[in-house]
Amino acid sequence: MRRSTAAAVGTLTGAALILGVRLSVQPPAAPAAAPAAQELTGEPAPAESSAAAKKPAGSSSAKPKENGKPAGQAKEEDGLKAGTYKGKAVQNPYGTVQVTIKVSGGKVAGADATYPKTGFSGTINPAAVTKLNQETLTAQSAKVDAVSGATFTSQSYVTSLQAALDAAGA
Amino acid sequence: MGTVVSIELADDLPEPRLRELIASTCAWLHEVDARFSTYREDSEVSRLRRREIDLPDCSDDLRLVLDRCAGLWRETDGYFDAYATGPLDPSGYVKGWSVEVASARLAAAGSTRHHLNAGGDIRMRGAAPGGGPWRVGIRHPWQADKLAWVLAVREGAVATSGTYERGAHVWNPRTGAPATGLRSVTVTGPDLAVADAYATAALAMGEPGLAWLAKRVADGYESAAVTEDGRAFTSPGLPVAP
């Protein structure tokens, strides 16, 4: 299931940027505990950020960061309170997009978007992105028909495993 | 750079016929070398480089090769680059393509069970001598006499790019610096030239190449990679031999 989420990230990067601008003039919704540290690169999301993406909107009750000053005083003069805010989930033809903005020093310090899993992204992106699995590097000897390796030269072929195979088969 | 091509025919054909097939395959590979080598002054590629001929004058084969190089340049975000070292050098595509053509010609001539190994990049077809899939070892990136994986492949290609054999010979076209981060990248899939180009491109990308390789799975290309610090990665569908 994470696969379709990651795929949607790639598709929706452009849309997220536009929505981010629009949301910055709307009243912020319920503050969230932490910014969804999801990178908008289209790469498979790391496990942590996909966990963050699964969090339903408004489920967090944490207070926004106060930046050393009481919220709602000095920061209100600038119009934006420090903290991390999640926007309303917006439906678009590709699925649901939810934008998070981070406010610091009275300014929007960063915008981010998450894409809760919906049926849409699953069908739009059937060829979902997978991730390579990490495993232990082994050093084995086994009977093989051929050896694949970095291209050897005519000179280094002589000492290669493939040359030994060829000699054995000749 | 010269390399060695190993050819194995597993067909149940009379020995003289097998020898004919090997001879015609060798003739084709020598023809490709004569026409496309950048080391030969009189090759078509060298003449195109010197602008003695223009693109419309080139053979259909060379125009196809240049077209595919351009396609792979786009597909790999510019990391597979026939101009990476300056003047045109399509060798990175030509090797795999020539073996693909050789295998297709063998099949058309009646050899449906064979493998060709061009300097570590392999195209196989049909059943291996034992009747099962071909067992392809992937060389261990530090121990030349050991294997890191063994794959079982009946039909398709296995290509490996690495820094261990010829040193840092793959460049990151974005930085102009030698590729670092990955020591060995193996890609397996239907077409040898594409698999080889993907492996080279991922090697040039360095560690971000791991995420890029994962996306190639959707196109039918599985992969195995080893980082410079010895971490190993495989795509979920890699055909590891049982």
Side-chain angles (χ1 to χ4, degrees), chain A residues 125-142:
Chain A
N125 296 291
V129 174
T130 53
K131 212 177 160 182
L132 299 191
N133 306 319
Q134 188 167 353
E135 56 179 66
T136 309
L137 181 63
T138 59
Q140 47 180 307
S141 302

Side-chain angles (χ1 to χ4, degrees), chain B residues 73-151:
Chain B
W73 183 80
R74 286 189 293 269
E75 256 183 83
T76 60
D77 295 335
Y79 281 93
F80 178 83
D81 189 353
Y83 296 88
T85 53
L88 169 69
D89 184 0
S91 309
Y93 186 83
V94 167
K95 186 174 61 159
W97 167 78
S98 65
V99 171
E100 277 291 328
V101 172
S103 174
R105 287 185 174 193
L106 277 171
S111 167
T112 53
R113 295 171 58 189
H114 57 250
H115 93 259
L116 296 94
N117 186 351
D121 299 327
I122 305 157
R123 175 64 155 95
M124 59 225 88
R125 200 180 281 272
W134 298 90
R135 288 170 59 85
V136 178
I138 299 175
R139 210 207 88 163
H140 191 284
W142 280 276
Q143 295 169 254
D145 60 338
K146 290 286 195 299
L147 304 170
W149 288 279
V150 177
L151 307 185

Side-chain angles (χ1 to χ4, degrees), chain A residues 98-156:
Chain A
Q98 186 170 36
V99 175
T100 303
I101 57 168
K102 193 177 175 186
V103 176
S104 167
K107 289 177 182 169
V108 177
D112 214 349
T114 58
Y115 310 95
K117 290 181 285 294
T118 68
F120 286 116
S121 58
T123 40
I124 297 281
N125 296 291
V129 174
T130 53
K131 212 177 160 182
L132 299 191
N133 306 319
Q134 188 167 353
E135 56 179 66
T136 309
L137 181 63
T138 59
Q140 47 180 307
S141 302
K143 194 180 171 299
V144 293
D145 298 299
V147 178
S148 179
T151 307
F152 44 73
T153 61
S154 313
Q155 289 78 32
S156 62

Side-chain angles (χ1 to χ4, degrees), chain A residues 19 113 127:
Chain A
L19 287 168

